[in-house]
Amino acid sequence: MKDNNDMPGHLARRFQQIAVAVFLAEVEDAGFDLTPVQYAALATIKANPGLDQVTLAGLIAYDRTTITGVIDRLVQKGLTERRASSRDRRARELEITDEGRKTLRAITPAVEAAQRIMLRGLTDKEANELTRLLRKAIAAGNELSRAPLREAPT
Amino acid sequence: MKDNNDMPGHLARRFQQIAVAVFLAEVEDAGFDLTPVQYAALATIKANPGLDQVTLAGLIAYDRTTITGVIDRLVQKGLTERRASSRDRRARELEITDEGRKTLRAITPAVEAAQRIMLRGLTDKEANELTRLLRKAIAAGNELSRAPLREAPT
DNA sequence: TACTGATGGTCAGTATACTGATCAATATTG
DNA sequence: CAATATTGATCAGTATACTGACCATCAGTA
């Protein structure tokens, strides 16, 4: 019988588990308290000032119900501002604060180190291949989860 | 600046997200209600009758605090029994029930189909390579998360 | 054997994820 | 333009994950 630990789904879970642990450890060592999810959201807000939550969710493939809580915490930490949109009164426009910008800048080396550490068992060539294959598999399965990647509108 | 969607950690998250969604969809289509985590635990209990929770956690690389809830739900669904160990009164011995065995057998095709679907964007060769690279990266990072894989004792 | 340290399990608290519902506001269309 | 459909955001509920603490028990040692 096929071992559980040979199934792609199980391997995906384990790799992600390690990736998150490494990320949190590196970021904490650097003196910050930010989760992978919060980091991705913050970086995306910086790159797309004024975007609304649904667009943000699409850009990083998060469920929109998850985004609400993530932004809550980024706002609470003073890294992001959420204000009502003037164009669409349902929407919230997101902006990064100066504090958020500073944090993002300071945290980048730790985030990059984390990426290297989670792949430390692989050669550079293997690491590139893994990344390529993950990207390809994800592209093919994009529509299969509730939170597919969406290009920015306009 | 490097895009978020190019980082291995982010790709890990997305792939896992898709893997879980595919798993749940296939299993539900087959008429069952079991999560990936519950499935892995159940299969491992069947393969190692009478094991305790910490050992189970080690065999599938789960945090032991997570196991408590997972077993709660398996017991509540009537798929697993949890009884006090006679050898060590701290420990709980886990057994699969007949119902659990039946479920496991009936659900296997759906689980295997899910593995194929989550890799549908890759050729067979690429799928094998992805699996190999994940396994290798995971082996190297095993000790980096709070829930490393542990061989069975004895 | 009494003490100390390690171990199995649980719990409280926090942070993703997702299902499905709801509300307000915008778009669409007959 | 009124009825309908869609959309942005949130919420309640459930299921992983993890941190750190705790208790009962076991194991090793002085």
Side-chain angles (χ1 to χ4, degrees):
Chain A
M1 207 247 285
K2 198 174 185 183
D3 188 349
N4 229 309
N5 291 299
D6 285 331
M7 294 198 188
H10 200 258
L11 296 174
R13 194 190 137 278
R14 291 239 280 139
F15 185 57
Q16 213 254 331
Q17 198 167 24
I18 291 167
V20 171
V22 168
F23 184 102
L24 292 175
E26 288 302 305
V27 165
E28 189 186 343
D29 280 1
F32 294 93
D33 170 33
L34 212 65
T35 67
V37 165
Q38 288 165 16
Y39 171 81
L42 191 58
T44 304
I45 291 169
K46 184 192 168 204
N48 303 271
L51 85 175
D52 64 290
Q53 295 185 190
V54 167
T55 304
L56 170 59
L59 288 173
I60 48 186
Y62 287 12
D63 193 285
R64 71 191 202 288
T65 64
T66 301
I67 285 286
T68 299
V70 174
I71 300 299
D72 281 350
R73 289 179 278 279
L74 285 177
V75 168
Q76 205 223 316
K77 288 177 181 176
L79 307 180
T80 296
E81 275 178 15
R82 169 161 49 189
R83 41 171 154 28
S85 165
S86 47
R87 285 175 286 99
D88 184 339
R89 278 184 307 170
R90 290 169 304 182
R92 307 301 160 86
E93 284 176 0
L94 304 172
E95 294 286 353
I96 189 170
T97 64
D98 285 346
E99 183 69 18
R101 233 179 293 267
K102 205 182 304 174
T103 297
L104 209 48
R105 206 158 35 226
I107 216 178
T108 299
V111 172
E112 284 168 359
Q115 310 304 309
R116 283 192 302 275
I117 293 170
M118 71 183 69
L119 295 176
R120 68 180 182 180
L122 307 182
T123 64
D124 284 0
K125 199 176 160 192
E126 286 175 328
N128 285 336
E129 182 66 358
L130 176 59
T131 304
R132 183 184 78 83
L133 293 173
L134 281 175
R135 233 193 311 262
K136 193 173 177 188
I138 289 165
N142 190 45
E143 299 304 323
L144 300 179
S145 88
R146 176 164 141 164
L149 187 73
R150 299 282 182 226
E151 304 291 330
T154 323
Chain B
M1 209 248 285
K2 199 175 187 181
D3 189 350
N4 230 309
N5 290 299
D6 285 332
M7 294 198 188
H10 200 258
L11 295 174
R13 195 190 135 277
R14 290 240 278 139
F15 185 56
Q16 212 255 332
Q17 197 167 25
I18 291 167
V20 171
V22 168
F23 184 102
L24 292 175
E26 288 302 305
V27 165
E28 189 186 343
D29 280 0
F32 293 93
D33 170 32
L34 212 66
T35 67
V37 165
Q38 289 164 16
Y39 170 81
L42 191 58
T44 304
I45 292 169
K46 184 191 168 204
N48 304 270
L51 85 174
D52 65 288
Q53 296 185 189
V54 166
T55 304
L56 170 59
L59 288 174
I60 47 184
Y62 287 12
D63 192 285
R64 73 191 203 286
T65 64
T66 301
I67 285 284
T68 298
V70 173
I71 301 298
D72 282 350
R73 288 180 279 279
L74 285 177
V75 168
Q76 205 223 315
K77 287 176 181 176
L79 307 180
T80 296
E81 275 177 16
R82 168 160 52 188
R83 39 172 156 27
S85 165
S86 47
R87 286 175 288 98
D88 184 339
R89 278 185 306 169
R90 291 169 304 181
R92 309 300 162 85
E93 284 177 1
L94 304 173
E95 294 286 353
I96 189 169
T97 64
D98 286 345
E99 182 69 18
R101 234 178 293 269
K102 203 183 306 175
T103 296
L104 211 46
R105 207 160 32 230
I107 216 177
T108 300
V111 172
E112 285 169 359
Q115 309 304 309
R116 282 193 302 277
I117 292 170
M118 70 184 69
L119 295 175
R120 69 178 182 183
L122 307 182
T123 65
D124 284 0
K125 199 176 159 194
E126 285 175 328
N128 285 336
E129 182 65 359
L130 176 58
T131 305
R132 183 184 79 82
L133 293 174
L134 281 176
R135 233 192 311 263
K136 193 173 177 189
I138 290 166
N142 191 45
E143 299 304 323
L144 299 181
S145 88
R146 175 163 141 164
L149 187 74
R150 299 281 182 225
E151 305 292 328
T154 325

